[in-house]
Amino acid sequence: MSMWVDKYRPRSLDELDYHKDMAQNLKHLVKSPDFPHLLVYGPSGAGKKTRIAAILRELYGPGADRVRIQRQAFDTPSKKKIEITTYSSNYHIEVNPSEVGFQDRVVVQELIKHVAETHPLDQHPFKVIVLQEVDRLSKDAQDALRRTMEKYISSCRLILCALSTSRVTPAIQSRCLPLRVAAPSKNQIVKVLQIVSKKEGIIMPLELADRISDSADGNLRRAILMLESCRAEKYPFVDKQPIVEPDWEKYLRETAFIIVQEQSPQRLLLVRERLYELLCHCIPADLIFRGLLKELVKNCDNQLKAEVCAEAARCQWRSTRGSKTIIHIEEFVAKFMAIYKRFIEQAMMADDFDD
Amino acid sequence: MDAFLKTGKLGKSAGRSSESAVSGVAGSQKESKKKSWPVPWVEKYRPRNIDDVVQQEEVVAVLGKILTGADLPNLLFYGPPGTGKTSTILAAARQLFGDNYKERILELNASDERGISVIREKVKKFSQQTASATLPDGRPCPPFKLIILDEADAMTVAAQSALRRTMEKETKSTRFCLLCNYLSRIIPPITSRCSKFRFKPLKDDLILQRLEKICSEEGVRFESGVLKSLIKACEGDLRRAITSLQSCHRLKGKDHVLTIVDVEELSGLVPLERIEELFTACQTGNYDKVDEVVEKMSRNGLPAAKVLDQFFHFVLESGELTDAQKAKIFQKISECNFRLMDGGSEYLQLMDLGTTIMLSVA
Amino acid sequence: MNLTLQIADTDVGGNLTWKGGTNELKLGVEALYAFLKTYKVQISKRTNISNVDHTNPEIATPLKIMDHKSPSPKGAGRRTSTSQRDVQSGHSRIPLPSSVSRQSRKKRQGTTISQESSSVPVSTPIQTKLTGFRRLEALAKAEVKCRPQGQVQMSGDSTNKFIPWVEKHLPHSADDLFVHKKKVEEVTHWMSRVLQSPNATKICVVSGPSGSGKTAAVSLVAHALDAEVKEWINPMSLTQYKPGQDFRDEVQGRNQLDLFTDFLFRTSQYRSLPIKGKALRKYRVTLVEDIPNALYREPNTFHEILRKYSKSGISPLIFVFTDTASGEHSMFKMFPKTLMAELNIQNISFNPVASSYMVKFMLDICTKESIPVDKGLVEDLAATANGDMRCAVNNLQFSLTKERSSSSRKAPFRPPANKRSRKQAAGNPAISEVQQKDDTIQLFRALGKVLYAKRDETLISENEMILVGEMEKDRRMHPLIENPENICDKAAVSTDTFLGFLHQNYPAFYGSLDDMASAAEYLAISDYMISAWKFDDSGARAYKVRETKEQLAMNIAVRGLMHSNNNRVSVGWKPLTKPLVSNLEKILKESTETIRQGLIDTPGLTTALFTETIPFFAKVLTTGKPYFMLGPELKNEILNKGIFKGTMTRAVPLDEKETVEEGSDEPAEGDDCNVQEELGAQVDKPKGTPNKWTAKDLTGDPHGAHTDEELFIEEYDD
């Protein structure tokens, strides 16, 4: 039994609940004689995957839905074996090359070569390769990708999926047709929630849908997951039904609170424990930074906010390159503590002065 | 022949069919298989002779002399993408060697064929073929072949060193033409062996002329101002401009009248209102407002790199800011952009920029 | 003094080249066996001639084989020529203790011999070409099998001081064992259950860091349960394995793999022939310590073998697996959680030996050897061994033997209280040698120097006095005692490791938040420097670039920390703990893998998986309604990752190494099974139920979690 997110995912371009004009354009595109490489980007939970699946279906019919999951192995030049999970139908194959870290170049090259050299079934002139998280590909891999894109264009098309095009090289961007999938608006989320609950046969007060979509941050997947966990928590829904949110977010907020509460070396050690805890739960560092920043600035004035923000931006950037994320998060916390403590002390002095 | 042509550049367009005019034999085979596919406009409107080349007078003048009999040195073309480097050398080759110029050139794409051995082998094989001093139709032509190394700056240092030797050895029968974006990434021994030509970014009005010509031939209808904004979005890259134009045309259907919004959407441009919105938010001096706008941007999937880029232009042209303020903001923009490319979080970098502006303008 | 020999290579004729340290010795198989067999006898005949050789290992010691009477005249001539060659080449150095501990795994194959045994006879050349190492394998196996008992017989022998103490003082009973009782019980419980009921789980993995007593515990428990231990010895390949080469056609057309499966499925069925002097035992246990290398390359084949074994194997199969953080020999690759669940493989994970156990054990040894010893030294050794008992005992023997043989008895063992003299004692060759043999001693000294950042208050720093303007506020009156560069040079570990240790320990030394913030920044810069552009350089240049960067990074961290600390907390002794960072990666990798495999039909980005899907999934699961059909493993993993209980329980995998506490009633943490059981149990409880660890963590004692295994360093100056 699958979760609602998967269960009620629209299957075709016509079923999509929002961005309907884009769906219309995509239909044009699929019908046109030459189908370009696509670069689909947008925030997480906006529906990129759903749209890609719908495009595939539009191209190949229901056959594209029959997906096999395989582990495929590649040899690196140094004879090391790397394995990657592929999701493939007769017509397409989907991988996330960043799964294998800095060996992603091999995957990009070998996989495309492999796919391009086997001829597509039926009358379809080409196969489709879906690459996830292209913005996380190494530079090497992106170079290789750009090359293979041209080389094998006669027998395959690429659909690239990314959160943002910022880190996709211009060379790739200029070879793709960009499709921006914006996050659904609040009303669109409410609408989808209503559709889901109707299909599931549950009664959902509008007020709840409102609140869920408020705290979903424009992330539809999150909204539907929230709805489902609310349903599991307590049903029938009651007034002021509590909205379930992920534990780590709460934990992060508590951590921020602990930081604001007291600034001392001892406190920093306590925070360190909590940061380890978060990292152990596979929470990515950039979300920790973001969450901390959002909570911490609440207690600051404008000047201070800017200062803290600059620190966060710097530490987070370093953390992406460093190997020990904890050091960088801790640096941010230490910096904040120092800044904040000074701020409080000044404020107190000013108070004394006023008196 | 067939074998190496396959490794040549098949097509430069964004996601277009492969039977570009560039790849002779291989291309024609594929053509027979998929006839229905239109030729990408980039290939269709590629200049046929060097006088068609947009803007690059200096190179054109030199090549013109070569066409009239002067010796051809090894060439090194560098400059930003889409300024006509490949087009120029192909047009020159066509004029030098006639319609069968394909037989006389070897196009190698360096980012694929990185290895030393590949370069050596292919170049060696190719340069061993003799080249006569006359063309099949009896016209005289220079008795050598041309090797075009595209994206030469992506070659490893080792491969470049190997190339140096090869260039000297084969100089009797072969000429090299290296194309790259950044001259600094080519090792000095190579640059010293080549005549260097810088390709300047194309002027807007010249691009406009080209685009208008293409639109009228392809029957693309557009609102006024669309081409201007397209050119702006593509920053002097003609190839990208043509590609975007074709993508719009394809995505929206034949009868659609292109609007500025379409162009912005497809060229990945951030709408100006958003940039202004961010700036206004910064002016209020309220952190939460900035936060709100940045959040909204990321929800809309606007890439931070583009925002930074356009914000730079916005600030540059802004009349409200003093030079000192601008300098401060630019410094931050460059810093944020670097971090962003290095893997920094989009939200945090934009917030950093936003708050910096907030402090300097408020 | 001990010389560890290991098989380095074999040639086609069946001759084996043995390497010990840098010595090479060519021996025939027969000779080898003879040697293994006879050396004990031989030793007993010998007098203490070799004492001379021990005293100074720094001098290349010629193996004075020629001077000794060979007990076996028949091979003497040949041996002489071999050993002479060795001597001439000047390589005959005595291996250092560190190499002993590194090679200690080989010891299990019966290849550890004392130095004198290099004067072993070399017998006539091989007659048959066939059986090279097959025979050796058999011989070696026979040799090793009953090791514990063998040790018992040997103790009391007049020559036993030539036996490495590691071997000699192997615990003889479970009571002697330095492993936490719970762990021993676990092993006993499992083994007795399996031996008695043939249908129970047959496979067990005993994992833990090296020197934590895994093998000893297994052997002892087996012994106590009257079971015979059959151990798999990795046969040495006759030729070097080259990638792409089919090594199947080696040795009688059989490869390691076949031999291994053969061993598993055949030996487990037959009991060994009654050999004189060995009591027949009631049960048999199969022990695999070295999984054939080929299987590391093909984990899937290994998993198939395990599946087959769990169906058709007869005797219990125990794997002893030394934990390494990552790499291709990692535990989770060979024994993925899904497989463990599928075959119901038991995992017993050992913790590093607690230092108090170590001290006790080492003192016991000293008592048995009747060597008076200073407790401070033992404690020092225990602290620096990082929970590796083998390493500690080796070091102990090294320092004590040395001490005894050199006539002077001055100064190496000072009570720690006398710090000044200790510092001087560092000049004493005896103690400094002990220290230099082991990186970790160095590491902790270096850490101490950085963290204490002592300044000489009698001097005024001239360099800093010239600072003006902006820099003036950074001016410090007194110069550092230690030169940061020297510390960097002597730390003898990679920047990465050192950085981890510094980061783990620096907060305790900082009194001011501002100092701490600046220290944190230096650490961050250092970390950034190590990894930045790691993959951007290529070719030979890259190595140089990286090396330089590492050095710079180390320097930044060291100087940064030393100079930032302007308000040092006055501290006497501080416990230094190992960095938790290193385990983090392993945890992440493992859980990503498990979740990916488990939720394979829910493709999605890893980020979204852990920040959205899993947390909500876990929430739905906690309601207890049977929404989803999931395996218990997966369910646990999801709950594990998705739910925060507001306690530190889940950080356990990180500090498991630190939470070994002897004699405490706290359940041994860090055991995956335990944690998961706990989790499973606690999931039903309402969320936020205070857990017994909560209080401890929130009381603000930052060392609460770590005080158990305290690696003390002294303040080396007053």
Side-chain angles (χ1 to χ4, degrees), chain A residues 106-121:
Chain A
V106 184
V107 172
V108 166
Q109 267 178 336
E110 296 298 314
L111 181 83
I112 298 180
K113 202 169 138 196
H114 183 75
V115 172
E117 280 168 1
T118 54
H119 276 284
L121 286 174

Side-chain angles (χ1 to χ4, degrees), chain A residues 186-187 189-191 193-194 197 202-216 223 226-227 230 234 236-244:
Chain A
K186 198 186 145 190
N187 288 338
I189 293 183
V190 170
K191 215 178 107 199
L193 288 179
Q194 281 170 334
S197 42
I202 57 175
I203 304 147
M204 180 193 54
L206 194 62
E207 170 265 349
L208 180 66
D210 252 11
R211 277 192 298 136
I212 289 182
S213 67
D214 269 343
S215 58
M226 275 180 170
L227 178 65
C230 285
K234 194 166 201 178
F237 294 132
V238 292
D239 249 11
K240 306 242 165 57
Q241 165 102 7
I243 291 179
V244 180

